[in-house]
Amino acid sequence: MRAIARRLVTIVPTLIGVVIVTFLLTRVLPGDPAAYFAGPTADQASIDQIRAALGLDKPLPVQFLAYVKDLATGTLGAALSTGQPVLNELKARLPASAELTLTALLISMSIAIPLGILAAVKEGSFIDHVCRVVTTAGVSLPVFFTGLLFVYVFYYLLGWAPAPVGRLDVYFSEPARVTGFFTIDSLIAGDLETFRAALAQLALPAATLALFSLAPIARMTRASMLSVLSSEFIRTARAAGLRSRTVILGYAFRNAMLPVVTTLGMVFSFLLGANVLVEKVFAWPGVGSFAVEALIQSDYAPVQGFVLAMALLYVALNLTIDLLYGLIDPRVRLEA
Amino acid sequence: MSALLDVKGLTVEFATRRGTVQAVKRIDLEVARGETVGVVGESGSGKSVTSYAVMRILDRAGRIADGSVAFSGLDLTAASERQMTDLRGREISMIFQNPRMALNPIRKVGRQIEDVLRRHAQAGSMDARAKAIEMLSQVKIARPEERYHAYPFELSGGMCQRIVIALALACRPQLLIADEPTTGLDVTTQKAVMDLVSELTRARGMSTILITHDLGLAAAYCDKVVVMKKGEVVETAAAREVFAAPKDDYTRRLMRATPRPGSTLRGLLPPEIAAAPNPPATVTGEVLLKVENLVKEYPRQGVSKSWAQMFGRGPAAEPETPFRAVDGISFEIRRGESLGLVGESGCGKSTTSMMVMRLTDPTSGAITLGGDDIGAIPARSFAASKHRRRIQMVFQDPTDSLNPRFTAVRAIADPLMRMGSLKGRDALRARCEELATLVGLPLDLLDRFPHQLSGGQKARVGIARAIALDPELVILDEPTAALDVSVQAVVLNLLDDLKAKLGMSYLFVSHDLHVVRLLCDRVIVMRQGRIVEEGTSEKVLEAPDAAYTRELIAAIPHPPV
């Protein structure tokens, strides 16, 4: 527990840095929100008026202080385009992105890890080549392409999948909000119909993302398993007559897991960023598409809010991974 | 009575990129019940491959091409994989070199023993733990209940080897194959481990195959010795006979090359190339290196590094006393002299050599080289000091100490390019060729990469690199520990010749008293950071004063003289 507390303390400087950097980055972006919102026909006076209303005429340090003050009171500001508080927007959209990303990661892990293990154990065999082909295909096809391809095949040609129009078909109503994950919320509400519908909507975008993240996980599992399998303690285990199942899963895989967990963390953060495109293709109301739109409009508050939320998520993710390390490897625990 | 293990005409092939290679060629090996057979040979002799073939745990590339392996009448070459996994660990088991690597690093050692016990139905879920603890106490591990929960990284090398032995013997197998079980362990630990193995196997009436490169070890613990060379058996005889009257030429050469009491440096070499001994080194009275009251402290590995310390607010409340790796030692090396620094791992000999080499800063004490106070130069800036070129080092592992992407000539030229005054490619090349000739490295090997050179050749490259700048002092850190005895014999002679020719002084760091005696004029024996004994090599080896030195000497196994 003390290790966790100590680890949490080290997060503080990171967060301060994130706050400063996001603030500065949004300010150096080209584009003037005042001019944008005043419209193309506005004259200089009205632009200046809007600028003063937004507080953008003040010097940067003053703006920054105001921003920090807002943050401290839990306000992320309002999005100029929608007029909604950024916090509410993020609250509504983050679960959508998280549900998509996590499902994709689960699918990807459940395929990639066994595939990687098999490929390593039967190095040079048919399954190894299958692993190579699948992973190469996964990384070389861009997500918007696989997304469109899936939509074309499964919705347009085969009609197996519902229309790519967001998280839930229009005929269904959103389940009562508990976690914000439609699949879980509908199960909690005991509404199997909605669950099925939510799952059907989720399947294609999640599969698209999963295919993309398959490659790094499978490759890392394979490489890490190969190096562990050739190590001396595996030879000892074999010489002691342990069954190959015990040797591979009990001895080798647990030792091979550290780099895999690291990769998982990286893949997760990639996915959070990469799903912008998938969200566009499937009209998924996630944070990615929200942030991109805000960015195009030089809308500072949502961009800052988004980056901050991502940074927090990323920090939490890294903490989880560090804790997982300790669970897997006693040697890491010692250093903590 | 029929033999427990009867290997006949065993041939093992490896598929490599350059076609199949026969690692073991039609060898015969017989092990009777209760017998200990030593398989002796240098690297590449196929002794380990033979044992892997018997266990059928060869790499994917290896296969048994021919011959039979009968174990208690069962032909192992024809047995199914299922039969083999049942046999392994229960009937035949194995212990390995490098015990720390041989254990699963992230599983409690007690659990690893349990895994084997349960696998072979020697224990159920109720009594597995008790039996594992019982095994730990049988291999003489103190506080076995506590150690059950230890991870390999928390135990010393000797302890890990005991765990591996416990693992191997847990299911009371009939045959134990010990593959270089004590390589890399200290001599006293080696003796303890070998005594334990022979005690346990004898008590259980087990047979043992001891695979080793060390003739002394084989002589001390085996009934029968099989000498292998390049995949073939050259001699099989009772241990006493082999050492009293070796029949084969190769065995005789191995015997000669093994340092033991009474052998001389030249005597290690085969008679046809043995030259006249070097004239005794001209040791002048002038002191080259003077070390006074050298101390190196390390903070203890504590869990609590206080906040105040982390934020640099001065020293925290005084914690426990720091660990003294080197505890106030003083010695001198004169010009032309070679001094041996002997001790077991953790005695502070490497730390001492690192401080003399100015790679780490001493906590206190003085180091002077030919009157210049080099101890005052911080280790960080020593590389830029003009005194840097006066001290050079030859490292323990000839492979790891060469940049794998540098050719031999590039490696030798490295110090010349960094600190030498030679300019121009041709001058450098000429100097490297001169050095290569000096260390006996054929010139056509100069453009090869380390992986294309043999162990002995790599050692020569390392030595050429060290003497490139005509240093006054060369620190030799176990320069032959990774080499075969016959190569070690050649390298030791080379080092002695070079010293006579170039007038250097040596600080020879080693754990092997016999090797030190051959090369050094004087010896320092260290233990726990202090000098326990100091004197001329003859005196320390033949009439040691300290009890610890006597213990060290007694622990070294050697073939009968």
Side-chain angles (χ1 to χ4, degrees), chain A residues 6 121 232-233 235-236 238-243 251 254-255 328-331 334, chain B residues 52 55 60 85 88-89 96-98 101-106 115 119-120 151 153:
Chain A
R6 203 172 309 156
V121 172
E232 294 180 25
F233 70 89
R235 194 181 55 192
T236 313
R238 286 178 63 201
L242 297 185
R243 286 193 172 84
Y251 277 59
R254 240 193 103 192
N255 273 283
I328 296 170
D329 192 334
R331 288 167 293 187
L334 193 79
Chain B
Y52 295 161
M55 293 285 276
R60 206 184 302 264
T85 45
R88 286 183 209 128
F96 299 93
Q97 187 177 350
N98 201 351
M101 304 288 288
L103 290 168
N104 186 343
I106 60 171
D115 285 342
R119 163 65 182 89
H120 297 293
Y151 290 99
F153 71 94

Side-chain angles (χ1 to χ4, degrees), chain A residues 205-219:
Chain A
T208 310
L209 277 180
L211 189 65
F212 176 67
S213 57
L214 211 59
I217 303 175
R219 295 231 137 185

Side-chain angles (χ1 to χ4, degrees), chain A residues 188-260:
Chain A
I188 291 173
D191 185 354
L192 281 181
E193 290 275 301
T194 313
F195 172 72
R196 215 168 290 141
L199 204 60
Q201 291 289 347
L202 191 58
L204 284 192
T208 310
L209 277 180
L211 189 65
F212 176 67
S213 57
L214 211 59
I217 303 175
R219 295 231 137 185
M220 189 47 85
T221 310
R222 178 177 178 274
S224 160
M225 277 299 281
L226 273 181
S227 80
V228 171
L229 279 174
S230 64
S231 61
E232 294 180 25
F233 70 89
I234 294 297
R235 194 181 55 192
T236 313
R238 286 178 63 201
L242 297 185
R243 286 193 172 84
S244 57
R245 197 188 153 78
T246 322
V247 173
I248 291 166
L249 296 180
Y251 277 59
F253 181 59
R254 240 193 103 192
N255 273 283
M257 246 156 73
L258 273 189
V260 175

Side-chain angles (χ1 to χ4, degrees), chain B residues 334-533:
Chain B
R334 284 169 293 168
R335 279 195 194 274
E337 186 182 41
S338 61
L339 175 73
L341 198 56
V342 183
E344 297 189 290
S345 51
C347 75
K349 58 185 194 298
S350 295
T351 312
T352 306
S353 69
M354 296 261 283
M355 283 190 285
V356 173
M357 190 68 229
R358 303 302 303 115
L359 291 170
T360 42
D361 283 320
T363 307
S364 67
I367 306 167
T368 43
L369 182 72
D372 298 303
D373 184 6
I374 58 166
I377 307 170
R380 295 174 69 171
S381 55
F382 188 68
S385 157
K386 65 178 194 297
H387 301 300
R388 172 64 183 78
R389 56 178 297 169
R390 298 168 64 190
I391 315 179
Q392 296 292 337
M393 195 157 179
V394 178
F395 301 92
Q396 174 165 5
D397 192 316
T399 309
D400 281 357
S401 57
L402 291 176
N403 185 335
R405 295 190 183 276
F406 277 8
T407 56
V409 64
R410 177 71 183 80
I412 298 171
D414 202 46
L416 295 169
M417 288 158 73
R418 285 173 197 281
M419 285 179 282
S421 49
L422 283 177
K423 289 281 170 285
R425 281 180 76 95
D426 296 338
L428 272 178
R429 177 86 195 182
R431 173 67 179 148
C432 288
E433 288 184 357
E434 189 187 330
L435 287 164
T437 317
L438 209 54
V439 298
L441 184 73
L443 295 184
D444 54 321
L445 298 183
L446 273 178
D447 291 308
R448 291 203 186 172
F449 287 96
H451 69 269
Q452 297 164 320
L453 299 171
S454 72
Q457 289 161 351
K458 276 181 278 199
R460 286 175 203 265
V461 174
I463 294 169
R465 178 175 60 178
I467 62 169
L469 290 167
D470 291 319
E472 293 161 54
L473 176 67
V474 177
I475 298 175
L476 306 163
D477 185 5
E478 308 246 15
T480 59
L483 302 175
D484 281 326
V485 277
S486 56
V487 184
Q488 164 175 289
V490 177
V491 171
L492 287 177
N493 274 288
L494 169 68
L495 285 169
D496 198 45
D497 292 346
L498 285 173
K499 188 171 73 108
K501 233 180 263 175
L502 304 175
M504 301 175 287
S505 303
Y506 285 161
L507 176 62
F508 189 105
V509 180
S510 178
H511 66 280
D512 190 335
L513 271 167
H514 285 309
V515 171
V516 168
R517 177 183 61 89
L518 291 171
L519 197 67
C520 296
D521 307 305
R522 282 190 305 127
V523 180
I524 289 177
V525 181
M526 277 184 79
R527 186 189 196 188
Q528 290 172 356
R530 290 168 189 270
I531 295 177
V532 292
E533 179 147 13

